[in-house]
């Protein structure tokens, strides 16, 4: 027999398009679906189509949203003076899960990465600059990831914002040893940053 | 904002129903779909519905099949005297990938596991016994997994087949140290079986 029968092969290929899914995992997913009822399988297909149909991008912050404006931007009780700049909607979700800040967000849609043709024009940078002025922002928290690209993007944004709005405070999340981390196993760059950023007790 | 917007939440829940998928992975899958075109997303949903609609169970061996009878059972060139009994269609696929045997298969649909209410009546055992007689099988290879349940099921099948067909050869796949395996790290049961099953050179 051919390795897989055609309708299964098609489904396996589709599962392989998901991030990080190899053949073995795709087969496992596909086989698990065959064991579900037709109704359950229809629910899965509907959820896929429904998410693509009903999830939009917030007109203000570019976060994902069911409506034209996301709940954070629509919330009148949010702090209107601090803007937290993140790479992706997932990053904003991670912040929201803390229930710690009442900042609003601006989703860049990625980071600068010339190798992957991700230049400043491809990211939501121009309207970030516009928002800072129009919304009278006092502080911009540059919460891009602590990666090479995240740092580069933060440095670029810092330069751009400082040039246009010299009075706006621009901050970056602290870097250092994560909680539970050992100095022995920390990479040299993290350890260097932890030393340079050391705090008085 | 709520942790996820509704249409995304529904999709994340659906992805979590896949085997071994936790929340983080489900979110990653869901977000990756939002970045695809509507056409690509429709293809994914179609593949799911199509697989459920078009994948059937072979009337003879219970393997998955596009038609009423699977290609292996329909193939006149297959060895008609050896029947290889496996737990799942995936096990048959693993055997087929070797291109080593021309045996036909019989898919049990699981293993005996009283804790999970998997009793002999729930598995395709009665028609296995019927096939052995009707198809004039000379050898039944009990290729259930080398787990406690797989061994128990093989022992049960051995007893049933031997009682009904005393002349049929009944075999089990060899157990021992896997290729590339070290004695030092082999578990005691595997090592014991490797010793007991040692071969003359």
């Amino acid at each position: 027999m051919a390795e897989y029968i055609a309708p299964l092969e098609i489904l396996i290929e589709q599962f392989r398009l998901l991030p990080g899914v190899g053949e073995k995992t795709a087969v496992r997913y596909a086989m698990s679906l065959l064991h579900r009822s037709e109704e359950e399988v229809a629910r899965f297909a509907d959820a896929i189509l429904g998410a693509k149909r009903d999830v939009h991008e917030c007109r203000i912050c570019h976060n994902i949203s069911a409506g034209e404006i996301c709940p954070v931007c629509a919330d009148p009780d949010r702090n209107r003076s601090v803007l937290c700049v993140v790479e992706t909607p997932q990053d904003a979700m991670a912040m929201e899960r803390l229930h710690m800040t009442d900042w609003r967000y601006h989703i860049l849609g990625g980071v600068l990465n010339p190798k992957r043709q991700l230049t400043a024009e491809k990211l939501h940078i121009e309207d970030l600059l516009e928002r800072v002025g129009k919304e009278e922002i006092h502080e911009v928290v540059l919460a891009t990831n602590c990666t090479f690209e995240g740092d580069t993007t933060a440095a670029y944004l810092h330069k751009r914002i400082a040039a246009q709005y010299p009075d706006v405070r621009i901050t970056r999340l602290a870097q250092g040893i994560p909680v539970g981390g050992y100095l022995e196993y920390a990479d040299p760059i993290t350890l260097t940053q932890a030393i340079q950023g050391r705090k008085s007790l």
Side-chain angles (χ1 to χ4, degrees), chain A:
Chain A
M1 65 177 174
E3 194 148 341
Y4 304 110
I5 54 175
L8 192 64
E9 179 85 50
I10 292 166
L11 181 57
I12 291 169
E13 270 169 33
Q14 284 293 329
F15 275 128
R16 288 202 62 170
L17 294 175
L18 293 173
V21 173
E23 177 159 343
K24 280 193 183 177
T25 305
V27 171
R28 205 158 142 237
Y29 289 171
M31 293 304 297
S32 80
L33 276 194
L34 297 182
H35 288 114
R36 294 199 213 158
S37 73
E38 275 184 39
E39 203 188 11
E40 287 167 327
V41 168
R43 253 202 304 273
F44 187 22
D46 282 347
I48 289 167
L49 297 171
K52 183 66 192 169
R53 184 184 60 229
D54 301 331
V55 176
H56 308 285
E57 190 175 300
C58 172
R59 202 160 46 77
I60 298 171
C61 73
H62 303 286
N63 203 341
I64 53 170
S65 171
E68 213 191 328
I69 292 177
C70 77
V72 172
C73 287
D75 185 352
D77 295 332
R78 285 273 166 162
N79 186 333
R80 305 200 79 78
S81 64
V82 182
L83 199 56
C84 179
V85 178
V86 292
E87 297 180 18
T88 65
Q90 290 97 305
D91 296 330
M93 284 176 205
M95 301 276 297
E96 284 294 299
R97 270 197 288 273
L98 293 176
H99 299 289
M100 182 183 152
T101 62
D102 62 351
W103 301 338
R104 289 179 305 143
Y105 300 95
H106 189 84
I107 317 289
L108 286 176
V111 273
L112 295 174
N113 190 337
K115 275 192 210 153
R116 292 173 58 197
Q117 270 84 43
L118 279 164
T119 53
E121 302 77 49
K122 298 268 175 70
L123 303 177
H124 303 300
I125 291 178
E126 292 313 315
D127 63 343
L128 165 64
L129 291 166
E130 201 179 293
R131 283 185 76 184
V132 173
K134 208 170 69 180
E135 298 178 16
E136 298 176 14
I137 303 296
H138 295 144
E139 177 179 351
V140 176
V141 182
L142 297 173
T144 50
N145 288 322
C146 297
T147 57
F148 176 74
E149 289 84 6
D151 288 338
T152 309
T153 307
Y156 174 82
L157 292 175
H158 178 204
K159 214 177 79 181
R160 293 285 305 270
I161 299 166
Q164 204 169 336
Y165 307 103
D167 295 337
V168 169
R169 186 178 178 214
I170 304 169
T171 56
R172 180 119 177 84
L173 298 184
Q175 287 187 270
I177 314 286
V179 174
Y182 291 91
L183 265 66
E184 184 182 352
Y185 303 123
D187 66 280
I189 300 174
T190 298
L191 192 53
T192 304
Q193 273 161 343
I195 292 167
Q196 287 169 345
R198 68 193 182 280
K199 288 184 175 177
S200 300
L201 297 177

PDB file of all heavy atoms in Angstrom, chain A residues 152-180:
ATOM      1  N   THR A 152      17.762  45.127  19.098  1.00  0.00           N
ATOM      2  CA  THR A 152      18.024  46.037  17.976  1.00  0.00           C
ATOM      3  C   THR A 152      16.795  46.889  17.702  1.00  0.00           C
ATOM      4  O   THR A 152      16.887  48.111  17.494  1.00  0.00           O
ATOM      5  CB  THR A 152      18.377  45.228  16.706  1.00  0.00           C
ATOM      6  OG1 THR A 152      19.406  44.309  17.031  1.00  0.00           O
ATOM      7  CG2 THR A 152      18.822  46.138  15.577  1.00  0.00           C
ATOM      8  N   THR A 153      15.640  46.245  17.688  1.00  0.00           N
ATOM      9  CA  THR A 153      14.395  46.956  17.412  1.00  0.00           C
ATOM     10  C   THR A 153      14.117  47.987  18.505  1.00  0.00           C
ATOM     11  O   THR A 153      13.704  49.124  18.212  1.00  0.00           O
ATOM     12  CB  THR A 153      13.224  45.949  17.312  1.00  0.00           C
ATOM     13  OG1 THR A 153      13.580  44.935  16.374  1.00  0.00           O
ATOM     14  CG2 THR A 153      11.949  46.643  16.863  1.00  0.00           C
ATOM     15  N   ALA A 154      14.363  47.601  19.763  1.00  0.00           N
ATOM     16  CA  ALA A 154      14.145  48.528  20.879  1.00  0.00           C
ATOM     17  C   ALA A 154      15.072  49.738  20.732  1.00  0.00           C
ATOM     18  O   ALA A 154      14.656  50.891  20.939  1.00  0.00           O
ATOM     19  CB  ALA A 154      14.384  47.821  22.202  1.00  0.00           C
ATOM     20  N   ALA A 155      16.333  49.479  20.352  1.00  0.00           N
ATOM     21  CA  ALA A 155      17.302  50.576  20.183  1.00  0.00           C
ATOM     22  C   ALA A 155      16.845  51.521  19.068  1.00  0.00           C
ATOM     23  O   ALA A 155      16.911  52.752  19.199  1.00  0.00           O
ATOM     24  CB  ALA A 155      18.692  50.006  19.877  1.00  0.00           C
ATOM     25  N   TYR A 156      16.354  50.930  18.002  1.00  0.00           N
ATOM     26  CA  TYR A 156      15.863  51.726  16.871  1.00  0.00           C
ATOM     27  C   TYR A 156      14.663  52.570  17.298  1.00  0.00           C
ATOM     28  O   TYR A 156      14.599  53.780  17.010  1.00  0.00           O
ATOM     29  CB  TYR A 156      15.491  50.787  15.717  1.00  0.00           C
ATOM     30  CG  TYR A 156      14.845  51.490  14.546  1.00  0.00           C
ATOM     31  CD1 TYR A 156      15.614  52.136  13.578  1.00  0.00           C
ATOM     32  CD2 TYR A 156      13.459  51.518  14.408  1.00  0.00           C
ATOM     33  CE1 TYR A 156      15.026  52.784  12.507  1.00  0.00           C
ATOM     34  CE2 TYR A 156      12.849  52.155  13.339  1.00  0.00           C
ATOM     35  CZ  TYR A 156      13.639  52.798  12.399  1.00  0.00           C
ATOM     36  OH  TYR A 156      13.044  53.439  11.348  1.00  0.00           O
ATOM     37  N   LEU A 157      13.716  51.958  17.994  1.00  0.00           N
ATOM     38  CA  LEU A 157      12.521  52.677  18.436  1.00  0.00           C
ATOM     39  C   LEU A 157      12.897  53.793  19.411  1.00  0.00           C
ATOM     40  O   LEU A 157      12.342  54.895  19.378  1.00  0.00           O
ATOM     41  CB  LEU A 157      11.524  51.721  19.100  1.00  0.00           C
ATOM     42  CG  LEU A 157      10.871  50.694  18.169  1.00  0.00           C
ATOM     43  CD1 LEU A 157      10.015  49.730  18.978  1.00  0.00           C
ATOM     44  CD2 LEU A 157      10.031  51.395  17.103  1.00  0.00           C
ATOM     45  N   HIS A 158      13.836  53.479  20.292  1.00  0.00           N
ATOM     46  CA  HIS A 158      14.321  54.470  21.261  1.00  0.00           C
ATOM     47  C   HIS A 158      14.796  55.733  20.540  1.00  0.00           C
ATOM     48  O   HIS A 158      14.398  56.846  20.857  1.00  0.00           O
ATOM     49  CB  HIS A 158      15.452  53.861  22.091  1.00  0.00           C
ATOM     50  CG  HIS A 158      16.045  54.816  23.088  1.00  0.00           C
ATOM     51  ND1 HIS A 158      17.318  54.683  23.575  1.00  0.00           N
ATOM     52  CD2 HIS A 158      15.536  55.931  23.673  1.00  0.00           C
ATOM     53  CE1 HIS A 158      17.577  55.663  24.417  1.00  0.00           C
ATOM     54  NE2 HIS A 158      16.513  56.441  24.502  1.00  0.00           N
ATOM     55  N   LYS A 159      15.639  55.524  19.524  1.00  0.00           N
ATOM     56  CA  LYS A 159      16.194  56.637  18.750  1.00  0.00           C
ATOM     57  C   LYS A 159      15.078  57.446  18.091  1.00  0.00           C
ATOM     58  O   LYS A 159      15.041  58.680  18.176  1.00  0.00           O
ATOM     59  CB  LYS A 159      17.142  56.072  17.675  1.00  0.00           C
ATOM     60  CG  LYS A 159      18.346  56.946  17.363  1.00  0.00           C
ATOM     61  CD  LYS A 159      19.266  56.276  16.347  1.00  0.00           C
ATOM     62  CE  LYS A 159      18.724  56.414  14.933  1.00  0.00           C
ATOM     63  NZ  LYS A 159      19.576  55.748  13.925  1.00  0.00           N
ATOM     64  N   ARG A 160      14.166  56.748  17.454  1.00  0.00           N
ATOM     65  CA  ARG A 160      13.081  57.411  16.738  1.00  0.00           C
ATOM     66  C   ARG A 160      12.176  58.195  17.684  1.00  0.00           C
ATOM     67  O   ARG A 160      11.814  59.342  17.417  1.00  0.00           O
ATOM     68  CB  ARG A 160      12.221  56.389  15.956  1.00  0.00           C
ATOM     69  CG  ARG A 160      12.920  55.702  14.785  1.00  0.00           C
ATOM     70  CD  ARG A 160      13.068  56.610  13.568  1.00  0.00           C
ATOM     71  NE  ARG A 160      11.825  57.185  13.096  1.00  0.00           N
ATOM     72  CZ  ARG A 160      11.006  56.649  12.197  1.00  0.00           C
ATOM     73  NH1 ARG A 160      11.315  55.480  11.664  1.00  0.00           N
ATOM     74  NH2 ARG A 160       9.907  57.276  11.819  1.00  0.00           N
ATOM     75  N   ILE A 161      11.776  57.572  18.782  1.00  0.00           N
ATOM     76  CA  ILE A 161      10.840  58.228  19.713  1.00  0.00           C
ATOM     77  C   ILE A 161      11.526  59.418  20.392  1.00  0.00           C
ATOM     78  O   ILE A 161      10.958  60.515  20.490  1.00  0.00           O
ATOM     79  CB  ILE A 161      10.305  57.223  20.776  1.00  0.00           C
ATOM     80  CG1 ILE A 161       9.542  56.079  20.086  1.00  0.00           C
ATOM     81  CG2 ILE A 161       9.385  57.932  21.783  1.00  0.00           C
ATOM     82  CD1 ILE A 161       9.262  54.887  20.985  1.00  0.00           C
ATOM     83  N   ALA A 162      12.790  59.204  20.850  1.00  0.00           N
ATOM     84  CA  ALA A 162      13.518  60.269  21.552  1.00  0.00           C
ATOM     85  C   ALA A 162      13.718  61.486  20.651  1.00  0.00           C
ATOM     86  O   ALA A 162      13.645  62.645  21.098  1.00  0.00           O
ATOM     87  CB  ALA A 162      14.866  59.753  22.048  1.00  0.00           C
ATOM     88  N   ALA A 163      13.953  61.213  19.351  1.00  0.00           N
ATOM     89  CA  ALA A 163      14.176  62.323  18.415  1.00  0.00           C
ATOM     90  C   ALA A 163      12.920  63.166  18.262  1.00  0.00           C
ATOM     91  O   ALA A 163      12.974  64.398  18.201  1.00  0.00           O
ATOM     92  CB  ALA A 163      14.624  61.759  17.059  1.00  0.00           C
ATOM     93  N   GLN A 164      11.774  62.480  18.238  1.00  0.00           N
ATOM     94  CA  GLN A 164      10.515  63.178  17.971  1.00  0.00           C
ATOM     95  C   GLN A 164       9.858  63.707  19.252  1.00  0.00           C
ATOM     96  O   GLN A 164       9.211  64.751  19.238  1.00  0.00           O
ATOM     97  CB  GLN A 164       9.577  62.212  17.238  1.00  0.00           C
ATOM     98  CG  GLN A 164       8.516  62.903  16.398  1.00  0.00           C
ATOM     99  CD  GLN A 164       7.799  61.908  15.487  1.00  0.00           C
ATOM    100  OE1 GLN A 164       8.347  60.849  15.156  1.00  0.00           O
ATOM    101  NE2 GLN A 164       6.591  62.257  15.072  1.00  0.00           N
ATOM    102  N   TYR A 165      10.035  62.975  20.359  1.00  0.00           N
ATOM    103  CA  TYR A 165       9.392  63.354  21.621  1.00  0.00           C
ATOM    104  C   TYR A 165      10.420  63.314  22.753  1.00  0.00           C
ATOM    105  O   TYR A 165      10.458  62.365  23.535  1.00  0.00           O
ATOM    106  CB  TYR A 165       8.232  62.408  21.951  1.00  0.00           C
ATOM    107  CG  TYR A 165       7.223  62.274  20.829  1.00  0.00           C
ATOM    108  CD1 TYR A 165       7.224  61.144  20.010  1.00  0.00           C
ATOM    109  CD2 TYR A 165       6.273  63.272  20.593  1.00  0.00           C
ATOM    110  CE1 TYR A 165       6.303  61.010  18.983  1.00  0.00           C
ATOM    111  CE2 TYR A 165       5.355  63.143  19.563  1.00  0.00           C
ATOM    112  CZ  TYR A 165       5.378  62.013  18.761  1.00  0.00           C
ATOM    113  OH  TYR A 165       4.469  61.884  17.749  1.00  0.00           O
ATOM    114  N   PRO A 166      11.262  64.333  22.858  1.00  0.00           N
ATOM    115  CA  PRO A 166      12.359  64.291  23.839  1.00  0.00           C
ATOM    116  C   PRO A 166      11.875  64.207  25.294  1.00  0.00           C
ATOM    117  O   PRO A 166      12.634  63.779  26.165  1.00  0.00           O
ATOM    118  CB  PRO A 166      13.131  65.589  23.576  1.00  0.00           C
ATOM    119  CG  PRO A 166      12.244  66.443  22.737  1.00  0.00           C
ATOM    120  CD  PRO A 166      11.293  65.562  22.035  1.00  0.00           C
ATOM    121  N   ASP A 167      10.611  64.578  25.574  1.00  0.00           N
ATOM    122  CA  ASP A 167      10.143  64.570  26.962  1.00  0.00           C
ATOM    123  C   ASP A 167       9.506  63.253  27.388  1.00  0.00           C
ATOM    124  O   ASP A 167       9.173  63.061  28.566  1.00  0.00           O
ATOM    125  CB  ASP A 167       9.119  65.704  27.169  1.00  0.00           C
ATOM    126  CG  ASP A 167       9.787  67.062  26.989  1.00  0.00           C
ATOM    127  OD1 ASP A 167      11.029  67.136  27.152  1.00  0.00           O
ATOM    128  OD2 ASP A 167       9.071  68.026  26.653  1.00  0.00           O
ATOM    129  N   VAL A 168       9.303  62.364  26.445  1.00  0.00           N
ATOM    130  CA  VAL A 168       8.664  61.089  26.786  1.00  0.00           C
ATOM    131  C   VAL A 168       9.698  60.154  27.418  1.00  0.00           C
ATOM    132  O   VAL A 168      10.823  60.034  26.933  1.00  0.00           O
ATOM    133  CB  VAL A 168       8.054  60.441  25.522  1.00  0.00           C
ATOM    134  CG1 VAL A 168       7.634  58.995  25.794  1.00  0.00           C
ATOM    135  CG2 VAL A 168       6.859  61.256  25.034  1.00  0.00           C
ATOM    136  N   ARG A 169       9.302  59.533  28.528  1.00  0.00           N
ATOM    137  CA  ARG A 169      10.176  58.571  29.183  1.00  0.00           C
ATOM    138  C   ARG A 169      10.142  57.267  28.373  1.00  0.00           C
ATOM    139  O   ARG A 169       9.065  56.768  28.028  1.00  0.00           O
ATOM    140  CB  ARG A 169       9.662  58.331  30.603  1.00  0.00           C
ATOM    141  CG  ARG A 169      10.579  57.462  31.424  1.00  0.00           C
ATOM    142  CD  ARG A 169      10.072  57.272  32.845  1.00  0.00           C
ATOM    143  NE  ARG A 169      10.969  56.390  33.555  1.00  0.00           N
ATOM    144  CZ  ARG A 169      10.615  55.522  34.481  1.00  0.00           C
ATOM    145  NH1 ARG A 169       9.351  55.442  34.866  1.00  0.00           N
ATOM    146  NH2 ARG A 169      11.498  54.756  35.054  1.00  0.00           N
ATOM    147  N   ILE A 170      11.321  56.717  28.093  1.00  0.00           N
ATOM    148  CA  ILE A 170      11.386  55.465  27.320  1.00  0.00           C
ATOM    149  C   ILE A 170      12.095  54.426  28.180  1.00  0.00           C
ATOM    150  O   ILE A 170      13.211  54.648  28.646  1.00  0.00           O
ATOM    151  CB  ILE A 170      12.147  55.674  25.997  1.00  0.00           C
ATOM    152  CG1 ILE A 170      11.484  56.815  25.195  1.00  0.00           C
ATOM    153  CG2 ILE A 170      12.173  54.391  25.172  1.00  0.00           C
ATOM    154  CD1 ILE A 170      12.294  57.277  24.002  1.00  0.00           C
ATOM    155  N   THR A 171      11.419  53.297  28.419  1.00  0.00           N
ATOM    156  CA  THR A 171      12.000  52.278  29.307  1.00  0.00           C
ATOM    157  C   THR A 171      12.056  50.932  28.593  1.00  0.00           C
ATOM    158  O   THR A 171      11.442  50.724  27.553  1.00  0.00           O
ATOM    159  CB  THR A 171      11.158  52.129  30.594  1.00  0.00           C
ATOM    160  OG1 THR A 171       9.813  51.832  30.218  1.00  0.00           O
ATOM    161  CG2 THR A 171      11.182  53.388  31.426  1.00  0.00           C
ATOM    162  N   ARG A 172      12.821  50.045  29.213  1.00  0.00           N
ATOM    163  CA  ARG A 172      12.949  48.678  28.673  1.00  0.00           C
ATOM    164  C   ARG A 172      12.822  47.740  29.860  1.00  0.00           C
ATOM    165  O   ARG A 172      13.264  48.061  30.958  1.00  0.00           O
ATOM    166  CB  ARG A 172      14.328  48.570  28.006  1.00  0.00           C
ATOM    167  CG  ARG A 172      14.651  47.237  27.379  1.00  0.00           C
ATOM    168  CD  ARG A 172      14.908  47.347  25.882  1.00  0.00           C
ATOM    169  NE  ARG A 172      15.290  46.045  25.304  1.00  0.00           N
ATOM    170  CZ  ARG A 172      14.406  45.125  24.929  1.00  0.00           C
ATOM    171  NH1 ARG A 172      13.105  45.353  25.060  1.00  0.00           N
ATOM    172  NH2 ARG A 172      14.813  43.980  24.428  1.00  0.00           N
ATOM    173  N   LEU A 173      12.225  46.558  29.680  1.00  0.00           N
ATOM    174  CA  LEU A 173      12.091  45.605  30.781  1.00  0.00           C
ATOM    175  C   LEU A 173      13.475  45.208  31.279  1.00  0.00           C
ATOM    176  O   LEU A 173      14.427  45.154  30.504  1.00  0.00           O
ATOM    177  CB  LEU A 173      11.325  44.355  30.332  1.00  0.00           C
ATOM    178  CG  LEU A 173       9.880  44.575  29.869  1.00  0.00           C
ATOM    179  CD1 LEU A 173       9.224  43.219  29.553  1.00  0.00           C
ATOM    180  CD2 LEU A 173       9.049  45.311  30.902  1.00  0.00           C
ATOM    181  N   ALA A 174      13.573  44.936  32.587  1.00  0.00           N
ATOM    182  CA  ALA A 174      14.863  44.568  33.171  1.00  0.00           C
ATOM    183  C   ALA A 174      15.344  43.226  32.649  1.00  0.00           C
ATOM    184  O   ALA A 174      14.549  42.334  32.363  1.00  0.00           O
ATOM    185  CB  ALA A 174      14.736  44.506  34.693  1.00  0.00           C
ATOM    186  N   GLN A 175      16.654  43.099  32.513  1.00  0.00           N
ATOM    187  CA  GLN A 175      17.253  41.831  32.125  1.00  0.00           C
ATOM    188  C   GLN A 175      18.143  41.337  33.238  1.00  0.00           C
ATOM    189  O   GLN A 175      18.751  42.123  33.954  1.00  0.00           O
ATOM    190  CB  GLN A 175      18.081  42.010  30.849  1.00  0.00           C
ATOM    191  CG  GLN A 175      17.212  42.182  29.614  1.00  0.00           C
ATOM    192  CD  GLN A 175      18.040  42.190  28.354  1.00  0.00           C
ATOM    193  OE1 GLN A 175      18.467  43.231  27.916  1.00  0.00           O
ATOM    194  NE2 GLN A 175      18.246  41.022  27.779  1.00  0.00           N
ATOM    195  N   GLY A 176      18.213  40.036  33.415  1.00  0.00           N
ATOM    196  CA  GLY A 176      19.067  39.479  34.461  1.00  0.00           C
ATOM    197  C   GLY A 176      18.808  37.996  34.644  1.00  0.00           C
ATOM    198  O   GLY A 176      18.219  37.353  33.771  1.00  0.00           O
ATOM    199  N   ILE A 177      19.244  37.465  35.780  1.00  0.00           N
ATOM    200  CA  ILE A 177      19.058  36.042  36.076  1.00  0.00           C
ATOM    201  C   ILE A 177      17.570  35.797  36.335  1.00  0.00           C
ATOM    202  O   ILE A 177      16.978  36.476  37.171  1.00  0.00           O
ATOM    203  CB  ILE A 177      19.841  35.656  37.360  1.00  0.00           C
ATOM    204  CG1 ILE A 177      21.266  36.218  37.339  1.00  0.00           C
ATOM    205  CG2 ILE A 177      19.806  34.162  37.594  1.00  0.00           C
ATOM    206  CD1 ILE A 177      22.214  35.531  36.439  1.00  0.00           C
ATOM    207  N   PRO A 178      16.941  34.844  35.653  1.00  0.00           N
ATOM    208  CA  PRO A 178      15.530  34.574  35.949  1.00  0.00           C
ATOM    209  C   PRO A 178      15.373  33.974  37.349  1.00  0.00           C
ATOM    210  O   PRO A 178      16.330  33.398  37.879  1.00  0.00           O
ATOM    211  CB  PRO A 178      15.122  33.552  34.878  1.00  0.00           C
ATOM    212  CG  PRO A 178      16.393  32.917  34.428  1.00  0.00           C
ATOM    213  CD  PRO A 178      17.478  33.937  34.624  1.00  0.00           C
ATOM    214  N   VAL A 179      14.189  34.133  37.912  1.00  0.00           N
ATOM    215  CA  VAL A 179      13.923  33.574  39.241  1.00  0.00           C
ATOM    216  C   VAL A 179      14.140  32.065  39.202  1.00  0.00           C
ATOM    217  O   VAL A 179      13.654  31.392  38.290  1.00  0.00           O
ATOM    218  CB  VAL A 179      12.482  33.901  39.683  1.00  0.00           C
ATOM    219  CG1 VAL A 179      12.155  33.192  40.995  1.00  0.00           C
ATOM    220  CG2 VAL A 179      12.320  35.398  39.821  1.00  0.00           C
ATOM    221  N   GLY A 180      14.876  31.535  40.169  1.00  0.00           N
ATOM    222  CA  GLY A 180      15.169  30.102  40.176  1.00  0.00           C
ATOM    223  C   GLY A 180      16.416  29.756  39.363  1.00  0.00           C
ATOM    224  O   GLY A 180      16.810  28.604  39.295  1.00  0.00           O
TER     225      GLY A 180
END
